[in-house]
Amino acid sequence: MSAFHFDGLVWHWPIAIYLFLAGLSAGAVFFAIMLKHFKLADKAYLSPFVQAAAVIAPIAVCAGLGILVIDLTKPLAFWKILVFYNTSSVMSMGVLVLLVYQVMLFAWLGSVFSTPIQQWLKQRLPLLNKLLALLARHEDVITGVLVILSLSLGAYTGFLLSALIGFPLLNNPVLPLLFLISGLSSGAAATLLGGVLMRGNPNGVEVRFIHRIEIPMILVEIALLFTFFAGLILSGGQSQVAALNAIGEGFWGWIFWAGVVGVGLTLPLAFNLWMKVSSDRKFAYVAVTASFSLIGVLLLRNFILYTGQMTAV
Amino acid sequence: MDNSKRRFLKGCGGVIAGMSVYTVTQTPQANTTEQASELKYAMVHDENLCIGCNACEDACRQVNHVPDGVTRVNIERSGPFGEYPNQSYRFSRHSCQHCEAAPCVKVCPTGAAYIDEETGIVAVNEDRCVGCQYCIAACPYQIRFINPETRVADKCDFCQQTQLSEGLLPACVLACPTNALVFGNLKDPASALVKTLKSKPTYRDKVDLGTRPKLFHVRTIDGEIVL
């Protein structure tokens, strides 16, 4: 039994990448909205961080869905998922959320960036100008719906796996919450990294705002991760076997302790605390902290997906 | 700002009201109970009679055109138990359990995995399946697979498409030289299936998951006692 090939393995790493990208998109949108609402208001479109989120969110969700479609055994039949729905299927409901999410995402981008886009268009394409004006008028509703959809999308990837009743590690009520919080933190990290790469001020209000949320978010993530495994171990039986198999010795144990806990949680937490104390943020600190968070979440997705399928009831 | 908040809350209220009206209209009327089908297929595998000859697997492969490398039914052999010359093996059938509450049907996004209302058979609609493999991951018995030729999720359907449609028993049942397989209608008290179930102690796999499988096993008398 090797780490990446074993009996009973159905979903491989492309699914983990998709889970990562969907959470990242949801998180980036969530933080862009928070930045605009609490800090930047009408000047939001000028912020490199909001701009970064505006680029990252649609690309991440589209790339993730692209990977998902290619991973089907009949990629050309993917449209059937969009036509036929099954209300008892988490995946089917997720497809619905993803569809509406993408529509609302582009609507929100249109409303937030309507001023610069209209300036760029001048009076060409009058129809598009009208649409942008309409979106800008309804920005409050679009924002509210998009917040709900981004949180739904973040949790959905967890529900997708927790519906698999044959695998005790996945069929776990904490998993959707864990995926939601880690997805949000990956979105925050991507927004920060993209923002500083687009010459955003690493000591600006945006970074300070996100970092203030990031510390409690990492702490919550650690608590959720602890609850996740403590719950499995205390339930005994195959749940206990699955948990100890995952975080014990071996390849995935290393990935968990060194990758997820070390690089993904402990180091970003330490850096964040240190930056809070030093009150002076530099490009390298912000970029490295964000990269560690991203690596950690990507490893977490792979870790859960693979170790989850290793132990069946 | 206040005004926009009010508008958003109003919108949310509208959505919730709409959803509740929708769910109310969806609840079924009391007097429209469906006519329950008189047919519900199930199978018994008697592990005492099974000799592990694999005739069932070969017959299934031939009749249902199952390609090499994958299989709809598989007899798992464990053992040997005991000391020579009193050695024995244990044979266990590994195939679709046709669950009453089938996890694969529940998770299938397109409805390609479905329970045939007429017969209770868990079947696959090949046209609907896109190959997301959610059903394969969801099946606690791990018996679904992707057919390499059709690229569609495949599994035992009690020969619904082949033998049953011609009024014959499933291929594995007909091929079994020791009559270890009994197939029939659970709702017919006179059927050989119900008689077998009433005369022999049987067990079903992973019943604690609540899937209510319809593949019954008669446990081998010989063989290992496992704690």
Side-chain angles (χ1 to χ4, degrees):
Chain A
M1 190 159 111
S2 81
F4 289 97
H5 298 278
F6 48 84
D7 280 347
L9 180 68
V10 181
W11 280 347
H12 293 259
W13 57 268
I15 303 293
I17 309 259
Y18 157 70
L19 297 173
F20 171 71
L21 289 173
L24 186 117
S25 175
V29 165
F30 183 82
F31 278 95
I33 291 174
M34 293 300 123
L35 280 177
K36 178 171 195 300
H37 190 76
F38 288 110
K39 290 287 160 189
L40 305 168
D42 291 339
K43 298 266 186 265
Y45 68 89
L46 294 171
S47 162
F49 295 92
V50 175
Q51 288 166 4
V55 174
I56 291 165
I59 291 180
V61 72
C62 292
L65 287 175
I67 290 170
L68 211 55
V69 168
I70 294 169
D71 200 55
L72 297 175
T73 61
K74 287 165 73 183
L76 294 178
F78 80 94
W79 58 269
K80 287 174 183 167
I81 295 194
L82 304 176
V83 178
F84 302 112
Y85 287 91
N86 172 10
T87 47
S88 73
S89 167
V90 175
M91 185 185 282
S92 202
M93 293 299 103
V95 168
L96 216 53
V97 168
L98 272 161
L99 267 181
V100 187
Y101 168 82
Q102 289 183 78
V103 172
M104 295 314 278
L105 171 60
F106 283 105
W108 185 77
L109 293 176
S111 70
V112 173
F113 291 91
S114 69
T115 318
I117 299 175
Q118 276 173 334
Q119 274 168 7
W120 177 67
L121 283 172
K122 302 232 166 63
Q123 285 310 309
R124 292 167 294 185
L125 301 173
L127 213 63
L128 189 61
N129 272 318
K130 259 190 193 152
L131 177 71
L132 286 171
L134 183 78
L135 291 176
R137 265 207 309 284
H138 293 283
E139 197 192 313
D140 46 359
V141 176
I142 295 172
T143 306
V145 173
L146 190 57
V147 168
I148 296 169
L149 284 169
S150 66
L151 294 175
S152 311
L153 177 59
Y156 153 65
T157 53
F159 281 115
L160 185 74
L161 295 184
S162 67
L164 301 176
I165 60 167
F167 300 110
L169 195 138
L170 300 176
N171 185 21
N172 185 317
V174 185
L175 190 67
L177 267 181
L178 178 65
F179 268 35
L180 173 62
I181 300 296
S182 64
L184 288 180
S185 77
S186 72
T191 303
L192 288 177
L193 184 62
V196 291
L197 284 175
M198 287 166 74
R199 297 171 189 283
N201 177 8
N203 207 17
V205 282
E206 299 97 327
V207 183
R208 286 169 178 276
F209 176 75
I210 293 182
H211 273 169
R212 227 179 39 229
I213 309 179
E214 225 180 356
I215 295 170
M217 211 157 55
I218 293 174
L219 293 174
V220 169
E221 210 181 319
I222 291 172
L224 283 174
L225 212 51
F226 181 79
T227 313
F228 184 83
F229 283 106
L232 284 169
I233 291 168
L234 295 175
S235 334
Q238 281 298 90
S239 305
Q240 185 175 14
V241 172
L244 296 178
N245 186 24
I247 58 175
E249 285 171 25
F251 177 79
W252 289 112
W254 272 103
I255 291 288
F256 178 77
W257 290 111
V260 176
V261 176
V263 174
L265 294 171
T266 313
L267 288 180
L269 182 64
F271 286 164
N272 270 317
L273 288 172
W274 186 69
M275 275 190 277
K276 201 178 159 76
V277 176
S278 72
S279 76
D280 180 30
R281 294 163 169 81
K282 295 198 173 67
F283 170 82
Y285 298 151
V286 176
V288 167
T289 310
S291 304
F292 280 176
S293 281
L294 284 172
I295 293 168
V297 177
L298 182 60
L299 289 178
L300 175 72
R301 296 293 191 264
N302 276 287
F303 168 79
I304 295 281
L305 189 70
Y306 277 92
T307 57
Q309 295 177 80
M310 271 182 179
T311 313
V313 286
Chain B
M1 210 54 194
D2 249 350
N3 188 33
S4 71
K5 252 183 215 159
R6 200 172 304 147
R7 261 166 60 202
F8 173 66
L9 287 175
K10 239 188 240 171
C12 284
V15 171
I16 291 168
M19 266 160 47
S20 42
V21 168
Y22 175 78
T23 45
V24 165
T25 55
Q26 289 296 300
T27 39
Q29 303 291 308
N31 53 1
T32 56
T33 42
E34 278 176 52
Q35 197 78 43
S37 168
E38 283 301 302
L39 205 53
K40 186 166 279 180
Y41 287 131
M43 186 180 275
V44 179
H45 177 230
D46 191 330
E47 295 171 2
N48 283 305
L49 296 176
C50 183
I51 52 171
C53 67
N54 271 339
C56 49
E57 189 187 323
D58 294 339
C60 171
R61 188 177 297 284
Q62 207 163 15
V63 166
N64 297 307
H65 310 290
V66 182
D68 288 339
V70 289
T71 181
R72 289 184 174 191
V73 52
N74 172 29
I75 300 294
E76 272 176 5
R77 186 176 80 164
S78 51
F81 304 110
E83 293 294 319
Y84 180 85
N86 297 316
Q87 278 185 323
S88 66
Y89 288 91
R90 189 184 160 199
F91 304 102
S92 169
R93 180 184 165 107
H94 198 60
S95 71
C96 178
Q97 324 264 318
H98 296 278
C99 304
E100 291 274 278
C104 56
V105 172
K106 203 170 156 192
V107 302
C108 177
T110 60
Y114 68 101
I115 295 183
D116 182 40
E117 284 181 15
E118 193 84 1
T119 58
I121 289 174
V122 177
V124 181
N125 180 345
E126 290 197 4
D127 288 336
R128 284 272 184 101
C129 179
V130 299
C132 70
Q133 308 188 54
Y134 204 15
C135 58
I136 300 178
C139 174
Y141 306 97
Q142 304 193 341
I143 46 79
R144 282 178 164 256
F145 58 91
I146 292 291
N147 185 315
E149 280 168 11
T150 60
R151 307 201 143 270
V152 156
D154 200 343
K155 63 172 201 56
C156 158
D157 63 352
F158 281 159
C159 288
Q160 182 198 40
Q161 312 273 339
T162 49
Q163 300 283 98
L164 292 191
S165 61
E166 292 172 23
L168 298 167
L169 284 170
C172 55
V173 178
L174 287 179
C176 181
T178 59
N179 294 322
L181 290 169
V182 185
F183 173 81
N185 182 5
L186 259 181
K187 290 191 171 175
D188 175 10
S191 67
L193 177 94
V194 173
K195 282 180 181 158
T196 310
L197 285 174
K198 285 189 170 172
S199 61
K200 290 179 179 175
T202 53
Y203 75 96
R204 292 178 294 161
D205 230 5
K206 302 179 183 178
V207 276
D208 47 332
L209 291 175
T211 53
R212 287 146 69 209
K214 292 201 290 283
L215 175 62
F216 298 80
H217 309 264
V218 179
R219 195 185 290 282
T220 328
I221 295 165
D222 296 334
E224 196 183 17
I225 309 281
V226 186
L227 275 187

